[in-house]
Amino acid sequence: EVQLVESGGGLVQAGGSLRLSCAGSRFTFSNYGGSWVRQAPGKGPEWVSTIKPGGGSSTYYADSVKGRFTISRDNAKKTVYLQMNSLKPEDTAVYYCAAAPGAYGCTQIRRVYNYWGQGTQVTVSS
């Protein structure tokens, strides 16, 4: 069974940092782009960031996190990371990792992605 497993969420004060990880298994991870989508209580899903299969400069960010969050990947470890700095209370949400083949991503539309993780809670206190 294909799996995406997120970790690294938690409670942090405003201005703090967290690093999320998303480990994939049982699929050809290097052929897939990795994305992070978050959902705050009472709100719809919001796309956060995408990294294409090649990694490097092929990274994309929502305006709300640009300059504060950094996405990266390690294909040898089949893992995508989201480094979150200067966290704000409005970043509080469940963060989901998702994988889409090739060039797809940069959206919160669920059907675009082949695989989803179970989510990890990030809470930022003021």
Side-chain angles (χ1 to χ4, degrees):
E1 180 184 356
V2 168
Q3 283 190 316
L4 286 175
V5 179
E6 301 101 332
S7 62
L11 173 64
V12 64
Q13 288 188 329
S17 299
L18 284 174
R19 187 195 196 201
L20 305 184
S21 299
C22 171
S25 61
R26 300 187 179 89
F27 68 103
T28 307
F29 183 85
S30 58
N31 289 347
Y32 284 73
S35 295
W36 292 93
V37 175
R38 67 187 181 185
Q39 187 160 15
K43 296 186 177 181
E46 177 191 16
W47 168 73
V48 174
S49 183
T50 293
I51 184 165
K52 295 300 173 68
S57 60
S58 298
T59 57
Y60 308 87
Y61 300 93
D63 288 343
S64 59
V65 306
K66 200 172 293 183
R68 300 187 297 122
F69 290 10
T70 302
I71 193 170
S72 61
R73 67 188 295 155
D74 184 335
N75 285 340
K77 295 182 178 180
K78 299 184 178 181
T79 302
V80 172
Y81 303 97
L82 186 68
Q83 177 67 43
M84 305 186 295
N85 298 329
S86 302
L87 282 161
K88 305 175 181 179
E90 51 264 44
D91 293 317
T92 295
V94 177
Y95 283 70
Y96 297 91
C97 175
Y104 294 99
C106 298
T107 179
Q108 66 273 12
I109 299 174
R110 191 171 185 88
R111 66 177 181 271
V112 168
Y113 299 98
N114 287 35
Y115 309 118
W116 287 83
Q118 82 288 353
T120 185
Q121 176 70 47
V122 171
T123 303
V124 185
S125 62
S126 57

